[in-house]
Each structure stands twice: as C-alpha cells, then as structure tokens.
Amino acid sequence: MKLSKTWLAVIGLAGLSIILSAAQKEKAITYKPTPYKLSLPEFVYDYFEPMPMPANNPMTQEGVALGRYLFYDGILSENRTMSCGGCHRQANAFSDPRQFSFGVRGDLGIKQSMSLVNLGWSHFLFWDGRAKSLEAQGHDPITNPIEMASNWKLILPRLQTHADYPKMFYKAFGTTKIDSSLVLKALSQFQRSIVSFNSRFDAYFFGGDASVFTKEEERGMDLFFSEGASCNHCHSDVLLTDNFFRNNGLDLKPDSGMAKNTLLAKDIGKMRVPTLRNIALTAPYMHDGRFKTLEEVVNFYFDKVNAQSPNLDEHMTMLTNRVYVPESDRKALVAFLKTFTDSTLIQNKAYSDPFAFDAD
C-alpha cells in the first residue's frame, strides 16, 4: 500500500513531535544542580571562618529552593496546618514573638523558639545542644508530639504523590524517591542560606563609618566591649555569639539545660548562648522567654544575676559584685543593642514564604 505525500508528511511530523516531546521530558528532568554561593560581606572572611559544609550535603540553588518550600509548607505537620515558618517568622529574625509556641494539637512548648539566623556556623543545636547538625536538628520539631506531631510514614507518601515535590527533589538530589534524610538535607540547606550581616553595627565596626552611630550608641558600645558590661565575653566574634553553653545565673535552681543531653552535673543550667544579631526583633528573651524587653534583660545582668546558681559561668561572677550602673548607661547599652538589627533580612524575598509570594 502506497501512502500519499500528505500522509507521509503527517506521519513524519508526528514522529518528529514524539521525538521532540521525549527530548523535552529528558531535558526537564536532567539532574544538574547549581552550586549555591553564600552572599557574605568580605569582613566575615576577614574576621571569621567560612561556614562549614557537610560533605554529603553541599548547598545548591535547587536544594535551597526546595528547602524553602518545605520550610513554609504545612505538609510536614500532622494535620497540614503548621510549618517551620509558623514558629520561626522572618519578621522576627526567624524566631517566635510568643513566649512559647503552640503545636498542631494546641499544646504549649517548653522553650522559646530562638532565631535561626547564621546557624550554619553552629555545631550544636537547640538550647540544650542535643543535635550536632542542622540535619539532625530538623527531625525533632517535625516528630515532636507537642510541636508538629507528625511522622515520616505520614509525610513521605504526601510528598511522593505531590504534583511538584518529586520533580523538585530530583533537581536537588538526582532522585524522585523521597526519604526523610533528603527532606532534612533540603531544610538544612535553606537554613544555612539565612545569613545576616547588614546592620548599622556592621557599617560602624567593620566598615569604619562612624556617622551611623549616635553618641548614646557609641557609649553603649564602649560598655558592651569593656568591663562596664562585659557582654562581648559570650557574645563575641562576627556572629555575636561564641556558640558555647553557659549558665548565666537566671535561677538558684536552674533548668537542667545541657545536662539533659550530657547527663553531667557540671552542665546543669547551661544553655546555648544565642546570637545578639537582630536582638531587637527576637523578644521575648532567655530560654523560657521570661523577659519581654531589652531593658529587662539589661537590668537583670546589672542587678539580678544569681551568684549561687550552680555552674555559674565565670564571666557572670564579674556582674555579681558591681556597683550600681546609672540609668543613662543602661539606656545607652539598649540603644547599642538595637544597632544589631538587619532590616534587609526581614525584607529579603529569598527567605520569604514562597506560597505567599506565588499568590501575589
């Protein structure tokens, strides 16, 4: 049977269409991740070490993008109503303005949700240091019964049958088979991308621009870095934290703190030293959110450190024998602490809720 030239042309076009369609599909699922370059000012490298990266989870643009979606997606919680971003809000430098966060079942948390900024340099996570990496940290809030109250048998099928996530996981990790380790790797990549080094303090201290400070703020800086307040012993370096665990003398009978993890008596009362970056945005303060304002925090350190608290940090002893600090110095110190605020952090769309952004 002979086919007309018209039919041959139709068949040829159909075949070409099939070939092109197959090629497009193959191209669409090509695994070729793009390395993610952290945007950091030069002074970070001049004064501090590069962010350490796990060999089995290098940052890629695709991995960070996937992690951002997962961070803001309620799909990871038991009833799909709560995301990581619900307790770590961008407007509050990725902390929670509530004293304690509520879980999906209405349960109240027992620790204040600290800021997630610059966590890529932290080797131990949580107030008690029980997680040794961001990858390990992510598991707890997802499965904790008073937080997101979920489990991987529930989560993974949701992700696997989702319209978009298998493709996103392929682009990030080269596989459409989703498991918990890949979820945690993606979340960790996004959290490592959340960096903050663009405050007036940075412009003054590292950039040499004295015009950005008032006289009061300069006085506060003098107190911060001197025996007047001695804040820099613990809130040091570029990160404004030494990432150590210390008992700061909050109570005579302190929370077990790090001892809950290590089971060592010498660690009772020791909590992770939080960063002071964006501290004006991260109220309430301390592991239990007991202080609502920076003024309360400053007054505590000047007047109320419990000298008899077990395992009291040696740097706190300097604060227990001081003479009265005048109100003007206290106000100056608070004014200086507010210079740590990075307004670009809370406006950066790269860190924002992609679902809200997509809706726009």
Side-chain angles (χ1 to χ4, degrees):
M1 180 179 68
K2 291 185 178 180
L3 297 174
S4 68
K5 291 183 179 180
T6 300
W7 276 108
L8 287 172
V10 170
I11 293 172
L13 287 172
L16 179 61
S17 177
I18 293 171
I19 293 171
L20 289 173
S21 177
Q24 288 174 345
K25 287 182 179 180
E26 183 178 348
K27 182 179 180 181
I29 62 172
T30 298
Y31 173 59
K32 192 176 181 181
T34 307
Y36 185 93
K37 182 174 176 56
L38 284 167
S39 179
L40 299 174
E42 284 299 320
F43 69 77
V44 176
Y45 299 107
D46 292 339
Y47 290 89
F48 203 60
E49 61 189 26
M51 183 186 292
M53 293 288 172
N56 65 345
N57 191 25
M59 292 178 70
T60 65
Q61 292 183 18
E62 294 78 7
V64 170
L66 171 59
R68 178 182 168 219
Y69 271 88
L70 292 171
F71 184 86
Y72 285 105
D73 198 337
I75 199 171
L76 299 182
S77 67
E78 179 186 50
N79 57 10
R80 297 176 182 260
T81 62
M82 177 177 288
S83 70
C84 306
C87 298
H88 296 281
R89 305 178 187 182
Q90 184 177 14
N92 302 98
F94 294 94
S95 68
D96 195 333
R98 300 167 292 185
Q99 181 176 15
F100 301 114
S101 305
F102 282 93
V104 294
R105 300 171 183 172
D107 298 309
L108 195 62
I110 59 175
K111 292 287 193 297
Q112 213 280 324
S113 297
M114 66 168 60
S115 172
L116 301 182
V117 169
N118 297 335
L119 281 190
W121 283 274
S122 299
H123 300 290
F124 296 92
L125 287 303
F126 294 112
W127 285 103
D128 60 11
R130 65 185 181 273
K132 296 182 179 180
S133 68
L134 278 170
E135 286 77 7
Q137 179 273 334
H139 173 81
D140 279 23
I142 292 173
T143 59
N144 189 311
I146 67 172
E147 295 185 50
M148 297 170 79
S150 197
N151 63 77
W152 296 110
K153 289 183 179 180
L154 183 66
I155 294 169
L156 295 179
R158 291 177 181 176
L159 295 173
Q160 199 68 67
T161 57
H162 192 274
D164 299 313
Y165 277 126
K167 291 178 286 188
M168 295 177 73
F169 272 89
Y170 187 88
K171 289 179 180 179
F173 299 110
T175 178
T176 56
K177 182 173 176 55
I178 302 170
D179 61 30
S180 60
S181 68
L182 295 183
V183 173
L184 296 174
K185 283 182 176 181
L187 285 170
S188 299
Q189 287 192 41
F190 173 64
Q191 289 180 82
R192 287 190 178 98
S193 77
I194 303 173
V195 294
S196 176
F197 299 103
N198 189 25
S199 66
R200 285 196 295 124
F201 165 74
D202 296 313
Y204 184 107
F205 195 83
F206 298 110
D209 185 359
S211 68
V212 300
F213 272 16
T214 65
K215 293 297 182 182
E216 183 180 48
E217 290 164 348
E218 287 184 334
R219 172 59 182 157
M221 183 174 66
D222 290 341
L223 290 165
F224 185 93
F225 286 104
S226 70
E227 291 186 5
S230 304
C231 307
N232 66 304
H233 288 297
C234 302
H235 299 284
S236 56
D237 297 322
V238 172
L239 300 179
L240 295 176
T241 173
D242 57 11
N243 280 324
F244 284 9
F245 293 79
R246 304 179 185 275
N247 177 3
N248 64 348
L250 280 173
D251 301 296
L252 291 176
K253 294 183 179 180
D255 183 300
S256 60
M258 195 177 183
K260 184 178 180 181
N261 175 40
T262 65
L263 304 180
L264 299 174
K266 68 181 181 67
D267 289 333
I268 293 174
K270 292 182 180 180
M271 298 287 180
R272 185 169 175 270
V273 177
T275 180
L276 292 187
R277 286 192 172 275
N278 304 291
I279 194 67
L281 304 176
T282 60
Y285 304 106
M286 305 299 168
H287 67 280
D288 54 8
R290 68 178 67 186
F291 298 135
K292 295 180 181 180
T293 67
L294 285 173
E295 286 78 6
E296 288 181 83
V297 174
V298 167
N299 288 338
F300 161 75
Y301 282 116
F302 282 146
D303 302 327
K304 301 177 182 178
V305 172
N306 287 290
Q308 303 305 314
S309 185
N311 305 313
L312 181 68
D313 190 80
E314 61 180 348
H315 297 108
M316 292 298 105
T317 60
M318 294 186 294
L319 300 176
T320 60
N321 299 311
R322 67 169 64 253
V323 297
Y324 178 76
V325 177
E327 189 65 26
S328 59
D329 280 352
R330 296 169 190 245
K331 288 182 178 180
L333 184 56
V334 169
F336 173 65
L337 293 174
K338 292 179 179 179
T339 70
F340 296 147
T341 301
D342 178 356
S343 60
T344 61
L345 169 76
I346 61 177
Q347 298 170 357
N348 192 335
K349 288 187 176 181
Y351 304 147
S352 67
D353 182 348
F355 299 103
F357 184 67
D358 289 347
D360 293 341

